[in-house]
Amino acid sequence: MILHLINKAPSHSAWQDMQNAITEHGSIVLMDDAVYALRDINALALDAKTLYAIDDDIKLRGLSATEGINVISMAELVALTLTAQHCLSWF
């Protein structure tokens, strides 16, 4: 699995770059301002196998996760990075 870490809001160009690189075998972790994508995640048409979002970042921004989003802690993120074949950061 390739793990894609993104911390920019959906309007940032990093999202387009990530969408061009991701495959159905990739997973995405929404961090920092990237969790704003949870407001309309279906509009992004992401091709990821699994979608994660950091719990603290969701709470700090007053958002909530929708069905199909795996909410994880920072400790779980660390464990996830250890199981991934590759980690790509989109910052």
Side-chain angles (χ1 to χ4, degrees), residues 12-74:
H12 193 276
S13 63
W15 277 85
Q16 185 62 48
D17 295 338
M18 180 186 68
Q19 287 175 315
N20 290 337
I22 199 161
T23 68
E24 68 275 0
H25 303 293
S27 295
I28 298 172
V29 178
L30 304 176
M31 309 168 67
D32 301 322
D33 285 346
V35 298
Y36 284 119
L38 295 173
R39 288 191 252 178
D40 194 12
I41 199 70
N42 293 328
L44 295 174
L46 298 173
D47 224 4
K49 174 183 169 185
T50 310
L51 191 57
Y52 300 93
I54 303 297
D55 185 41
D56 288 343
D57 293 331
I58 295 169
K59 289 177 184 173
L60 285 170
R61 288 158 181 84
L63 301 171
S64 59
T66 58
E67 189 176 326
I69 307 297
N70 298 291
V71 179
I72 60 173
S73 67
M74 288 304 286

